[in-house]
Amino acid sequence: SGAPSIILTASRDLQMTGSSVMFHGRNSDVKTAAVIIEAASAANVSKSTFGSNQGPSAGAIIVTGTNTVVSLFETTFVSNVAVGEDSAAGALEVRLEATVAISHGRFERNTGHSAKIAAGAIVLNRASISLYDSDVLRNTVISSSSGTGSGGILSRQSNLVVVRVHLDDNDAIDPSTGQVYGTGVSTSLHAIESDAFFVSMVTLAV
């Protein structure tokens, strides 16, 4: 259906372990991501899979709002799709002062479509993410080549920490030409508009 599988709001807590959230929004008039976490809520997600979900700004999860905090451990995002006008994150969008910590995650074959701000795997917009010991592989962004797209991770006016992360085969495609643009790190990890970021021990295929 077009409703989210889970919506967490008004300072609520969520514990999710060993779960699968699959095929949300496929073949329907989808209105949102599969999971929305907002309004100072907290979530701990571990050993779970988000696969083949589709939404307008994030395929799998949106995390938004001050004091909203999410921890993702050994969680996989695969083949999720977002199609949005202003922004699109194939798997995960974090925005408006929310905080997400990711450890031993896997983002693979996710796709983001947007004319403005987009990423195949993760969009970080005025928020904070720490990403440790994870893989960001074979994700694709379909966006203009004006510098607002990243096949892997796009960070805007945010705090980003990336440590021991494998970035490989993430593509940025210009929809007007169908051609891949950018090389190396710009197609996998792109920070714009005065980010504060720390990157260490990153394995990057160029």
Side-chain angles (χ1 to χ4, degrees):
S1 74
S5 299
I6 299 171
I7 182 165
L8 196 67
T9 190
S11 302
R12 295 183 178 177
D13 295 333
L14 171 70
Q15 302 288 331
M16 179 186 292
T17 302
S19 300
S20 294
V21 179
M22 310 287 288
F23 300 107
H24 170 82
R26 295 287 188 174
N27 303 314
S28 71
D29 182 22
V30 66
K31 296 296 191 297
T32 183
V35 176
I36 297 175
I37 303 167
E38 62 182 2
S41 295
N44 290 295
V45 180
S46 63
K47 301 180 185 299
S48 296
T49 299
F50 295 81
S52 299
N53 300 291
Q54 182 171 312
S57 58
I61 301 178
I62 295 172
V63 182
T64 182
T66 304
N67 296 324
T68 303
V69 179
V70 174
S71 173
L72 302 172
F73 175 71
E74 290 187 1
T75 296
T76 297
F77 297 83
V78 59
S79 299
N80 299 286
V81 177
V83 181
E85 293 183 7
D86 295 324
S87 67
L92 171 66
E93 182 180 32
V94 186
R95 63 193 186 194
L96 301 179
E97 301 184 12
T99 300
V100 173
I102 304 167
S103 177
H104 297 87
R106 188 173 186 88
F107 296 81
E108 186 167 5
R109 296 193 306 276
N110 302 286
T111 304
H113 303 249
S114 178
K116 296 181 181 179
I117 298 172
I122 300 170
V123 169
L124 180 60
N125 193 356
R126 291 185 290 150
S128 298
I129 278 185
S130 59
L131 179 63
Y132 288 84
D133 301 300
S134 297
D135 296 307
V136 182
L137 309 171
R138 292 178 286 281
N139 301 283
T140 302
V141 66
I142 301 175
S143 182
S144 69
S145 57
S146 61
T148 57
S150 172
I153 304 166
L154 181 74
S155 180
R156 174 178 178 264
Q157 295 181 357
S158 298
N159 298 309
L160 173 65
V161 175
V162 179
V163 178
R164 294 184 300 275
V165 173
H166 182 200
L167 302 165
D168 192 0
D169 199 22
N170 299 292
D171 289 330
I173 298 175
D174 189 325
S176 65
T177 64
Q179 300 298 307
V180 174
Y181 64 88
T183 58
V185 71
S186 67
T187 64
S188 285
L189 175 60
H190 193 178
I192 61 174
E193 296 184 21
S194 301
D195 273 38
F197 64 95
F198 175 79
V199 178
S200 177
M201 293 180 285
V202 168
T203 302
L204 173 68
V206 296

